[in-house]
Amino acid sequence: MSDSTVTVGRRKVRRPRALSPLREHLRDTFWFAPTGAMVVVCVVWLATSWLDEAIVGALQDGGEYDAVKELMGFTEDAKTIVTTVSSAMMTFIGVVFSISLVAVQMAGGQFSPRVVRLFVRSRITKLTFAVFLATFLLSLLVLTSYDSEQDPQVVTTVPFLQAFLTLGMVALSLLLFVMYVNSTLRMMRVSHVIDRVTWEAFRVVARMPSGEAGDAELGPVGVQVAYAGRAGVLRDVNIARLVRIARHHGIVLRLIPRIGDFVVPGTPVFAVHGGAAPSRRALRYCVSVGVERSFHQDLGFGLRVLADIGLRALSPAVNDPTTAVQAIDRIVQFLAAVGTGPLDTLRYTDRGGAVRLVQPVPGWGELVDLGFSEIRGCAAGEPQVTRRLFAGFDDLLSLAPEERREPLLRHRELLAQGVERSVPDAADRAFALRPDRQGIG
């Protein structure tokens, strides 16, 4: 078995790749892409400036002064466009920035603050800003390349290639602006946001298949390793490195907090089974802590975001039960996908098949509670939502194994009791208790 794969249960899967703190920092910021684009455009401008000088020098050496004069005429015509671009591009950037702020504000207020992450990490948004700023800088640099000398025999440079490059950047900027507006409008639609969150949640399932492991198989706990970094949310652990460390020391490491838990210095983060603990320094760099949860290894974060969207839709300030139904659709889809597989723990082995790392994940009952508890508590007076919930419970009960039906039956009964208390009219109550996959169509 290669170092890039592990055995989980009876399946061989690729080890989840560790988060790079630098990469995550750059993805969560807006300065890196524009700065990199401006550096690149400066280098390209220097190269094209040198080529323009070389072309003019070659034509002058060959006595092709008419050709030089034609190039000068073209660049003078292009100068008007370059000047217009340099003066208008900053206004264009301001428009794009304003659109982004409005979109982020609307998404955070209408859906959930957790979905703002999708806007911040949007590649098309960062690329649009980067190209716009690069075009603005390039237009300024090209204007400095114009020679005041009008004699084709003594002129030193004619920004011919630079003008073409600027026109190409303007065309690219217009194309990216259309793509950016289209992407932003899609991100403001609740169906697209919910679909994107669900896609991220299923990526976690694909990268982190669950395998059952009990503490009794691991032997007694030798020592516990305390966390020594800064306080924050546990976002990720370096699976491959932890397996190598445990194999080198002949031990089994068990992660005590779950991904998504808030950890503070001094609390135990690893339990060591079967031997002495590795150095704290070696284990410290295997744990990634941040200010917010990430989809990377967090099995329950997708449900958390979907539940937040449903709750926000059911609040009196928003009062949008149709959006809540769309969130419930995806919650049912996610639970149906994980409902037949093993949960509670992940067990990773080394190349020899020995268990080296045990990682806790939410169990079935916890996932059901996370997906339905809060929405169910707010849905009793919304017949569209209650009907969709009853249909969802019925679908999951038909798919889940016998031993996993208890949480579903409990939530179904609690929802029925809530409807009984909240809807006094018998006809309305019977209507709200009838399962319907579309709510009220």
Side-chain angles (χ1 to χ4, degrees), residues 378-417:
C378 299
E382 297 287 348
Q384 181 180 179
V385 182
T386 60
R387 287 159 65 94
R388 180 62 186 98
L389 283 172
F390 280 119
F393 288 139
D394 292 345
D395 290 339
L396 291 173
L397 285 168
S398 67
L399 297 172
E402 184 68 30
E403 64 274 11
R404 290 189 173 176
R405 294 182 178 177
E406 188 277 330
L408 298 170
L409 292 173
R410 171 167 51 86
H411 280 284
R412 197 182 195 284
E413 179 60 27
L414 289 173
L415 179 61
Q417 294 176 7

Side-chain angles (χ1 to χ4, degrees), residues 347-378:
R347 182 172 60 177
Y348 296 97
T349 64
D350 59 18
R351 285 176 290 181
V355 176
R356 294 302 182 188
L357 176 66
V358 175
Q359 179 182 353
V361 294
W364 171 250
E366 294 171 298
L367 292 176
V368 172
D369 291 340
L370 176 58
F372 291 121
S373 293
E374 296 165 311
I375 293 179
R376 173 183 54 77
C378 299

Side-chain angles (χ1 to χ4, degrees), residues 324-334 388 437:
V325 168
Q326 290 179 284
I328 294 170
D329 291 340
R330 300 301 189 166
I331 292 173
V332 172
Q333 177 190 2
F334 182 83
R388 180 62 186 98
R437 290 189 178 91

Side-chain angles (χ1 to χ4, degrees), residues 197-231:
V197 171
T198 307
W199 178 75
E200 293 279 5
F202 273 102
R203 287 184 64 190
V204 181
V205 176
R207 286 195 299 244
M208 296 178 58
S210 300
E212 293 178 323
D215 291 346
E217 303 177 21
L218 308 178
V221 177
V223 294
Q224 290 186 342
V225 179
Y227 176 65
R230 64 187 181 93

Side-chain angles (χ1 to χ4, degrees), residues 6-74:
V6 291
T7 301
V8 184
R10 296 183 177 181
R11 302 171 57 190
K12 293 182 180 179
V13 298
R14 294 187 64 84
R15 285 195 178 107
R17 184 178 62 178
L19 283 177
S20 167
L22 177 61
R23 180 172 177 268
E24 289 299 298
H25 171 70
L26 295 180
R27 291 192 66 186
D28 287 336
T29 59
F30 265 89
W31 64 266
F32 178 71
T35 303
M38 288 189 289
V39 171
V40 171
V41 83
C42 286
V43 174
V44 173
W45 171 75
L46 289 174
T48 54
S49 179
W50 178 83
L51 288 174
D52 281 333
E53 292 180 5
I55 292 172
V56 172
L59 291 175
Q60 289 174 338
D61 292 341
E64 301 289 340
Y65 300 116
D66 290 338
V68 175
K69 192 171 183 179
E70 290 179 3
L71 291 180
M72 294 176 63
F74 170 80

